[in-house]
Each structure stands twice: as C-alpha cells, then as structure tokens.
Amino acid sequence: MAKNQSSVPDTSRRSERSRRAIYDAALALVAEVGYPKTTIEGIASRAGVGKQTIYRWWPSKADVLLEAFLDLSGQAAEAAGQEPYTIPDTGDLAADLKNVLRATVDELSNPAFEAPSRALAAEGVVNEELGRRFVAQLLEPQLQLYVDRLRAAQETGKVRPDIDPRIALELFVSPLAQRWLQYTGPITYEYTDTLVDYALHGLAPR
Amino acid sequence: MAKNQSSVPDTSRRSERSRRAIYDAALALVAEVGYPKTTIEGIASRAGVGKQTIYRWWPSKADVLLEAFLDLSGQAAEAAGQEPYTIPDTGDLAADLKNVLRATVDELSNPAFEAPSRALAAEGVVNEELGRRFVAQLLEPQLQLYVDRLRAAQETGKVRPDIDPRIALELFVSPLAQRWLQYTGPITYEYTDTLVDYALHGLAPR
C-alpha cells in the first residue's frame, strides 16, 4: 500500500479501469491465439498497462483469465435481467429449469462469451490442472445452483427423495454442454425444453 | 499401381505394416504435441516412412488421424470381446445400456485411447470444421447404435413412443462425456449405472 501514497485521489477509479482493460485484453487474446500462447506480457501490452500491474494483482495468467470469466458471467446474468447465482423457485420445477437453460442457450451463442470460453474449455480438456480449476471456480458454483433447486423440489415432493441432485442435474446440463463443446447437434430452446421433460419424466412408460 | 510392379510379393503385408506404423505415430504425436503442431512430416518421420507414402493414402493429417481413431476404436472393442458397432439386445434395456456404458468407462481410462482422444477433442472445441468431422465420422456412428437400441425398446414398449431416441441417448451419454472432457466428477460404473436408472425412470415420483 505504501507504494500508492503518491497516487492522485482517483486511484480506485483508475484501478477499476485498468482491471476492466486487463479482463477485456485477456479474453480477447485467449480467443485469438489460444491459452498456451496467451501471456501476461501480451495481456499487459493489449490492455495498455505495465506487466507489473498485472503481477501485482494476479499470480498467473490462469488467475487473470478465471477472474475475467467470473466477471463476464456476472455481466451476462445482469444483462439478462437475472440475479447472478440464483435459480428462481416459482414452485414449477420444469418451468424454472427450462428458463435457466434457455438463458444458458443465449449465453453460449453470445460472441463475447463463446470464443474465449471455447479457448479455455479446449485447454481444460488436455490440461487437467487448468480443467479442474476451471470447474472448481467457474462451473461447479453454477452447477450447485441446480443442486439447490433440485433439493428444494425434493422437499416439496416434486423430485424423488432417493435421487442424488448432483448427478440428476447432469441429465439436462451435460447434453447441452456436449452439443456446445463437440458440435453433436443444434442448440435451441425446444431442445433444452425437451431435455427437462425427458429428465423429469423418464424415458420408460409411466 | 504401375509404380508397384517392381515390388516383392509381400507388398500388401508391407503396406499393412506401414499403415499401422503411421496410425501409431499419428496418435502418439497428437498426444504429445497437440493437433496444431502435428504434421504429415512429423508422422512420416516417426513412422519411418516417406511423407509421399502418407500423401498417397491420405489427403491431410485430419484424415490420417480420423482413420487412426477409427482403427483404435475397433481394436478396443475387439479387446473387450465385443463386436464393434453393435449394442446387444438381451431384452433388458437397462442392463444393455449399463453394459455398454461400463465398456466406455474402461475405454476412456485406457491410456492408449485417452491422450490422443483428448488432443483431438480439445482441437474440436476451437476448430469447428475438425469438430464436425470428428463427430460425423467417429462419434455419431457410435451414438446411432444407441438410437437403434432405443428404437428396439420403443417397439417392445420399454420406451415411450413419443420419445426422440437421438435426444434421449444424451441423458446418459453426455454426462459421462462431460465428466471426461471437463473433469466435472469421478467416472465409475456406479455413476454410469445411476445415469441409466435416472434416465429411464425420471427424477419425478412415479
């Protein structure tokens, strides 16, 4: 902190501007050249800051990128008029799940999100350490929202009590993820609605 | 063919040996350096053949790799004592699906399969053209086996007639794929068995 004593009074505003420039640069760069070729030097140069500014705030490029993605997800949720990190509980489980999956469909096709997310996801497939950090810090907190919503549904008898919510959510989340990651099929609202219906009611006759 | 008239009589055996050396070299190389840095020259050098030998048989490195993977999958199925490209129909849908998913669990953790598959899958995430070829030539034919098995189950009334089998299969295939691609959770027989039970019977009470 001593280093900042000579700063002008708008330090925090300047810091916020630098922080955002660094996030934007990191996301743009990883989208363009991929994770392995993204460097702190490259991010600093593109953001118009010194690389020491980045090293002061983040220990590695992985940390910059993960924070930039957290920020991006938060912004996307706000833009969609949602609270980040909640799934509404209207009492209609199918409708609530369909709504949040439709919002995910929109996010996945948003160009600001798609290219950097693909670059990070691709690296995670072959770089187990980064893949696990990506999951722990970005993906798992989002999946836990489904766990919470499914637990609430178990309490009102809408989901069977013997179901493990952490596995159950994968029946509708993972198909969408695989179609996005591997181009295994088109991604539409109709598709994600169908996944929810199949998962809740099952494939076997009732 | 005229070029081969001076060959000794074991041409086809020598060709078969070269072909296998090329497959092995391509899979090893993509696992080590990734798809972008894998070249026809590198494959030829590692396989101990001239690069013209490769160009005579395949138009591009993508073609060599896709064929090498097809060959690898066929070998894995044979090693597991299965017919490649069938899912048995014993009349017990849950048991049949669980068996084939358990075989997939084994295949995914086989080191000969894992590293090159991850390299190709990672490239497919950021390279849409390669991703779509990978799916069309390697993944979709395997998924169609589930479509066939689910259709047979519809005919015997074990799966509801209004279900789209191509979407339904994703309820148990995609969670396994996502756990493998993104390290979102452990991969065990118990897990894949659970996926089949949840998908067939649904999450809602019956």
Side-chain angles (χ1 to χ4, degrees):
Chain A
M1 299 301 284
K3 284 183 189 167
N4 287 333
Q5 286 180 345
S6 63
S7 298
V8 290
D10 66 347
T11 300
S12 72
R13 260 167 69 193
R14 283 198 305 131
S15 293
E16 176 54 28
R17 218 183 310 140
S18 295
R19 180 181 294 271
R20 186 143 310 279
I22 291 163
Y23 288 161
D24 290 347
L27 294 170
L29 202 58
V30 79
E32 283 169 25
V33 303
Y35 182 83
K37 290 186 189 151
T38 295
T39 60
I40 294 280
E41 287 76 5
I43 296 169
S45 159
R46 189 167 188 137
V49 303
K51 68 179 179 178
Q52 285 313 316
T53 302
I54 300 187
Y55 281 121
R56 200 181 311 142
W57 289 335
W58 298 282
S60 74
K61 70 174 176 178
D63 294 280
V64 183
L65 275 167
L66 288 164
E67 230 178 89
F69 274 98
L70 282 172
D71 179 71
L72 187 64
S73 299
Q75 282 182 55
E78 271 178 48
Q82 302 160 345
E83 286 284 314
Y85 310 120
T86 59
I87 293 177
D89 184 349
T90 66
D92 182 341
L93 177 63
D96 292 347
L97 295 176
K98 287 175 184 179
N99 273 335
V100 67
L101 286 171
R102 284 175 174 223
T104 306
V105 168
D106 292 341
E107 191 179 358
L108 291 174
S109 64
N110 175 350
F113 174 90
E114 175 157 23
S117 298
R118 286 192 175 279
L120 196 65
E123 180 67 13
V125 172
V126 288
N127 178 339
E128 181 170 351
E129 192 195 340
L130 186 79
R132 290 190 180 278
R133 283 198 66 185
F134 172 84
V135 166
Q137 296 186 243
L138 293 175
L139 194 50
E140 193 62 36
Q142 295 179 20
L143 298 182
Q144 285 299 318
L145 307 179
Y146 289 101
V147 170
D148 295 343
R149 184 64 189 84
L150 290 171
R151 285 228 174 91
Q154 283 178 314
E155 280 162 25
T156 57
K158 302 287 176 59
V159 166
R160 286 187 279 132
D162 57 305
I163 292 282
D164 178 341
R166 180 60 189 76
I167 296 177
L169 67 90
E170 296 177 48
L171 270 67
F172 42 83
V173 166
S174 298
L176 176 57
Q178 190 181 22
R179 285 199 176 199
W180 185 75
L181 286 166
Q182 300 202 292
Y183 299 102
T184 40
I187 290 175
T188 64
Y189 290 168
E190 191 189 357
Y191 166 65
T192 51
D193 287 358
T194 300
L195 290 174
V196 170
D197 289 331
Y198 288 7
L200 293 182
H201 304 297
L203 308 177
R206 283 178 171 253
Chain B
M1 298 301 283
K3 285 185 190 167
N4 287 333
Q5 284 180 348
S6 63
S7 299
V8 292
D10 67 348
T11 301
S12 72
R13 262 168 67 193
R14 282 198 304 132
S15 294
E16 175 54 27
R17 219 183 311 141
S18 296
R19 178 180 296 271
R20 185 145 308 281
I22 291 163
Y23 287 163
D24 291 347
L27 294 171
L29 202 58
V30 79
E32 283 169 26
V33 303
Y35 183 85
K37 291 186 189 151
T38 296
T39 60
I40 294 280
E41 287 76 5
I43 296 169
S45 159
R46 189 168 188 136
V49 303
K51 69 179 180 178
Q52 285 314 315
T53 302
I54 300 186
Y55 281 122
R56 201 181 310 143
W57 289 335
W58 297 281
S60 73
K61 69 174 176 179
D63 295 279
V64 183
L65 275 168
L66 287 164
E67 230 178 89
F69 274 97
L70 282 172
D71 179 71
L72 187 65
S73 298
Q75 283 183 54
E78 271 178 48
Q82 302 161 344
E83 285 285 313
Y85 311 120
T86 59
I87 294 177
D89 185 349
T90 66
D92 182 340
L93 176 63
D96 292 348
L97 294 176
K98 286 175 184 179
N99 272 335
V100 68
L101 285 172
R102 284 175 174 224
T104 305
V105 168
D106 293 341
E107 192 179 358
L108 291 175
S109 64
N110 175 349
F113 174 91
E114 176 157 22
S117 298
R118 286 192 175 280
L120 197 64
E123 181 68 12
V125 172
V126 287
N127 178 339
E128 180 169 351
E129 191 195 341
L130 187 80
R132 290 189 179 278
R133 283 198 65 184
F134 171 84
V135 166
Q137 295 185 243
L138 293 175
L139 193 51
E140 193 61 36
Q142 294 178 21
L143 298 182
Q144 285 299 317
L145 306 179
Y146 289 101
V147 170
D148 295 343
R149 184 65 189 83
L150 291 170
R151 286 228 174 91
Q154 284 178 313
E155 280 162 25
T156 57
K158 303 286 175 60
V159 166
R160 285 186 280 132
D162 57 306
I163 292 282
D164 178 342
R166 180 60 189 75
I167 296 176
L169 68 90
E170 296 177 48
L171 271 66
F172 42 83
V173 166
S174 298
L176 177 58
Q178 190 181 20
R179 285 199 176 198
W180 186 74
L181 287 166
Q182 299 202 292
Y183 299 101
T184 39
I187 290 175
T188 64
Y189 290 169
E190 190 189 0
Y191 166 66
T192 51
D193 286 358
T194 301
L195 290 174
V196 170
D197 289 330
Y198 288 6
L200 292 182
H201 303 297
L203 308 178
R206 283 179 170 252

